[in-house]
Amino acid sequence: MRSDLQYFEPLLFWGRGSKIPQCLSIGAPTSPAISNILLYEFDQKLIERAGDLGLTVSRYADDITVSGESVTNIRKFERSIASILSKLKNPKLMLNDEKGVSTLGDNDEW
C-alpha cells in the first residue's frame, strides 16, 4: 500500500527528469503554503537582518520586498541575502540577479 507521501509528492513537486521530486510545482494551490513551511528559517533570518538595519522585509513565493529610509542599509541588506542563502542547509536556493528591481523616492540617489 502506498503512503500518503507517495501520492502527494508527484502532485506537489516535479523532478527535472529524475524519479526523485526536486522542485515545488508552480501554480499549485498548495505552493504558497509549502514554500512558507520550507522557507521559515530563511524568513526568520531575513526578518532579523532587516530589523538590525531598521528595514522592513516581506517575501511572497520567490519575491522579496524590502523598504526603509536608508538606501545604504537597503544595499547592505541586498548583499546579505546571498550570505544568508549560502548558510541554509535546505532548501538550496540561489538569487536571480536579472530579476532585481529597485525604486527610490524623488530625493534619493542610488
Side-chain angles (χ1 to χ4, degrees):
M1 181 173 206
R2 293 178 72 172
S3 71
D4 288 345
L5 183 59
Q6 289 173 314
Y7 284 110
F8 289 113
E9 259 186 353
L11 296 172
L12 301 175
F13 299 92
W14 59 279
R16 293 187 184 170
S18 169
K19 291 184 179 185
I20 301 170
Q22 298 185 13
C23 298
L24 184 61
S25 295
I26 298 171
T30 54
S31 294
I34 292 171
S35 66
N36 286 343
I37 292 167
L38 294 174
L39 294 173
Y40 179 80
E41 179 184 350
F42 175 64
D43 289 342
Q44 295 309 303
K45 292 181 184 302
L46 285 182
I47 291 166
E48 180 181 347
R49 179 65 176 143
D52 291 345
L53 295 169
L55 305 172
T56 301
V57 65
S58 63
R59 181 193 56 78
Y60 179 77
D62 64 342
D63 295 321
I64 298 170
T65 302
V66 60
S67 60
E69 301 208 10
S70 168
V71 173
T72 301
N73 285 352
I74 291 172
R75 295 180 88 188
K76 284 180 187 176
F77 178 80
E78 288 176 342
R79 287 190 296 270
S80 68
I81 293 173
S83 174
I84 292 168
L85 286 174
S86 71
K87 294 175 185 172
L88 288 179
K89 291 183 182 178
N90 282 307
K92 291 295 179 196
L93 305 170
M94 46 194 209
L95 294 174
N96 181 351
D97 293 327
E98 294 177 15
K99 205 174 169 187
V101 175
S102 300
T103 59
L104 303 170
D106 293 337
N107 297 323
D108 294 322
E109 292 183 20
W110 195 247

